Amino acid sequence: MTEREQYTSGPASGAKVRKDGEKWTLILVRELRHSPTKVWQALTDPAHLREWAPFEADGSLGTVGTVKLTTVGAPKPQVSETRVTRADAPKVLEYNWAATISAGNSKPSVEAGTRLTLWHNIDRRFISWGAAGWHICFDVLERLLAVSRLDEWSAPKPSSSRTGSG
């Protein structure tokens, strides 16, 4: 196992839950030490998404339109046609896979970084599961962003080679 494949979860924090009638929303906030542009690329480029997200995308999430998202690590992959409804680089990304992601500059220019906020509409029975899953995904994202350049990430892998969860 390479160093890149080894993973130890960091402390879970920054999760909140909102209830509006029967609608439950999981909100996760993560402070990243990387520029909004670099984070945006990781959030929208299919080659980068497959490295950290709980799904693979058949196209860019960086433009308004339709893409297919396929879950990974599930006993039976679930494919859903997803509509990107807002792609305001590098600040707001919204798509109807039950998640809205906002990435924007949150720190002084000396410590340039990005506050990543995820709003995930979720069945209340799965809030803990969703929070744990996204926490791990964001840990992996943060680790991958620490590589000096995004193009140094591994080459795209066939979806059959990916195992485990997000």
Side-chain angles (χ1 to χ4, degrees), residues 29-32 34 36 102-107 113-117:
V29 178
R30 183 68 66 100
E31 298 288 342
L32 302 171
H34 310 282
S102 173
N105 193 354
S106 65
K107 298 180 181 179
T114 303
R115 172 176 284 162
L116 180 62
T117 306

Side-chain angles (χ1 to χ4, degrees), residues 13-18 25-32 36 39-40 43 52 86 90-95 98-106 113-121 134-135 138 141 145:
S13 64
K16 296 179 183 177
V17 177
R18 284 194 188 151
T25 304
L26 169 65
I27 304 164
L28 294 171
V29 178
R30 183 68 66 100
E31 298 288 342
L32 302 171
V39 173
W40 181 262
L43 295 175
W52 69 269
R86 186 173 174 196
K91 296 181 180 179
V92 178
L93 175 62
E94 295 178 5
Y95 50 94
T100 300
I101 295 178
S102 173
N105 193 354
S106 65
T114 303
R115 172 176 284 162
L116 180 62
T117 306
L118 173 122
W119 291 269
H120 184 149
N121 297 327
W134 280 114
H135 170 71
F138 285 174
L141 170 63
L145 285 168

